[in-house]
Amino acid sequence: MKHLIGLILLSGITATAGAQRILNLDSCRAMALRNNKQMAVADVKRDMARNMKKSARTKYLPHVNAMGGYVYSSREISLLSNDQKTAFSNIGTTASSGIGGTMQSIGAGLTDAQKMAIAQQLGALGTTADDVANSLNNHLNNVASGLNAQGQRIVDAFRTDNRNMFAGSIMVTQPIYMGGSIMAMNRMADIGEKMAQNSGDAMRQATIYDADKAYWTVVSLKHKKRLAESYLSLIRQLSADVAKMVKEGVATRSEGLSVDVKVNEAEMTLAQVEDGLVLARMLLCQICGLPLDENLILADEDIDNIAIVMTEKVDASVETAVENRPELRLLQNTIDLSRQATNLLKAGNLPKVALFGGYSITNPNVFDGYHNKFGGVWNVGVLLCVPVWNWGDVAYKVRAAKNATTIAALEFDEAREKVELQVTQSSFKVNEAGRRLTMANANIRRAEENLRCANLGFKEGVIQATTVMEAQTAWLQARSQKIDAEIDVKLSQVNLEKALGTLQ
């Protein structure tokens, strides 16, 4: 039975340990970086900047465009009028009528003797005037039909039939000189990629700083919770001793009530610390992307000495901060970007040269007469565009861009001064935190010795309970100040690294 109970208890302890997650500072940093949505946004911005850079590079290369179209018109273009079409279609009939009228006029002008002579000659040939007339009419009709057919072919040849029109082309364009605009665009794309990288670095440092701050806050509250529990244990023991003394009549009831008040205060302090610890753990879980009710344990919770006493002053280089701070690099990128924007605007007053070539097809086409079929042609050329007059529009824009560059430079100088001040203050705080920790350790030794003497005197009956409570309060304050000093050392170091831009 004992072995069975032992196995049950062991399995329960193992399950509880398995439900808890032990994290150190590096683990919290890594989880915070993975969970932070702004870090994901920064990654997307970097990818976007890289794609914009690749897009800018394509401006140096020839571009090929293909176009095609179809148009249907309700009416076709006619090169001949309706009267002309009728005239061409009846040209044979008109000519035949003219010849017949001419022959009739000639016949009407002949005398009877002439008519008789012609008839005798025709008789000698074995024919008559009517036969000749009929044969002539037949020939005229044949000629008229042929001429009418030829006229109709002419009318058909002049028909455009352009109600259905097709067109297509392939064009290749190669920029030769664009006034420096393409170079400016590529440099702006390079600067944009650097800005995205610097923005991501700034977000990374801010995320690490938040994770460190939340981590050390939990550690601080955990230590203060143990301190509050130790203090509550001490004050309860004192309360029990004073209660015995009041019962024996060697202490007044007022002393017992004073100790009880201290017990209540210690219990309230412990409750406040526990509530603060729960909230601090929830904040750390939120930063690390864990469930808010995650039962995690930090590796530094049970360490007695959180920080090592710092005896040497920290010498921070301002030049290091200016070189590494992503905020300053972003401002410098802004200056460079503004200068390239000025160059891009200046290109508006410079000539532009480009080569082009292509192949075009149309239906109908007129390359070999007019035909309702596809026909194409190759073409190459050089395009030159020279700005002549724009009422100073480009010049005004260039001046405005130069003003923007001046503003960015002034903002950079101001930010540099602030960074120098921030580095100096952070360095001072690190040294100050080290001195405070040294003094806090010394105060603890004195407070513990004072508490030991007070407890010994109280047991011997030569010191009152109020003196013991004062010694316990001083011990509590000394221990609390030590915890605060240790956390200040850690946070001041993180602040200094962030000020120097070396927080990784």
Side-chain angles (χ1 to χ4, degrees), residues 287-442:
I287 293 176
C288 295
L290 299 174
L292 297 182
D293 57 350
E294 179 78 14
N295 187 16
L296 56 87
I297 297 176
L298 303 184
D300 295 314
E301 285 185 2
D302 298 325
I303 297 177
D304 293 333
N305 295 317
I306 301 175
I308 301 175
V309 178
M310 301 179 60
T311 58
E312 298 181 358
K313 292 185 178 180
V314 178
D315 185 15
S317 173
V318 177
E319 295 301 325
T320 301
V322 173
E323 182 180 354
N324 294 330
R325 282 291 291 268
E327 295 87 350
L328 291 180
R329 294 203 301 267
L330 274 172
L331 290 175
Q332 183 61 51
N333 294 148
T334 303
I335 296 174
D336 297 337
L337 190 66
S338 179
R339 289 172 179 168
Q340 294 304 321
T342 303
N343 294 334
L344 183 63
L345 291 172
K346 287 181 179 179
N349 275 338
L350 299 176
K352 300 174 179 60
V353 182
L355 292 176
F356 68 89
Y359 182 76
S360 302
I361 58 173
T362 59
N363 183 4
N365 74 86
V366 291
F367 297 117
D368 184 19
Y370 189 89
H371 299 284
N372 285 319
K373 61 181 181 180
F374 285 99
V377 60
W378 292 95
N379 58 77
V380 293
V382 179
L383 177 65
L384 173 64
C385 178
V386 181
V388 178
W389 184 251
N390 53 25
W391 300 99
D393 175 58
V394 176
Y396 296 141
K397 291 179 179 178
V398 169
R399 293 175 188 174
K402 289 182 177 179
N403 293 334
T405 303
T406 302
I407 293 173
L410 293 173
E411 290 178 347
F412 176 82
D413 293 337
E414 182 182 10
R416 179 189 175 97
E417 294 174 356
K418 291 182 178 180
V419 167
E420 292 178 357
L421 178 60
Q422 186 179 13
V423 170
T424 303
Q425 290 176 342
S426 299
S427 177
F428 177 78
K429 289 181 179 179
V430 169
N431 295 324
E432 182 185 9
R435 291 194 300 268
R436 286 179 56 193
L437 180 57
T438 302
M439 291 186 291
N441 287 325

Side-chain angles (χ1 to χ4, degrees), residues 231 235 238-239 242 245 251-262 450-451 454-455 457-458 462-474:
Y231 176 71
I235 200 67
L238 179 62
S239 176
V242 172
M245 295 174 64
T252 63
R253 191 167 183 274
S254 176
E255 291 178 339
L257 293 175
S258 299
V259 176
D260 291 339
V261 170
K262 285 292 183 179
N450 183 33
L451 180 60
N455 289 330
F458 180 73
V462 296
I463 292 180
Q464 296 180 352
T466 54
T467 304
V468 177
M469 286 190 297
E470 291 175 356
Q472 291 176 345
T473 302

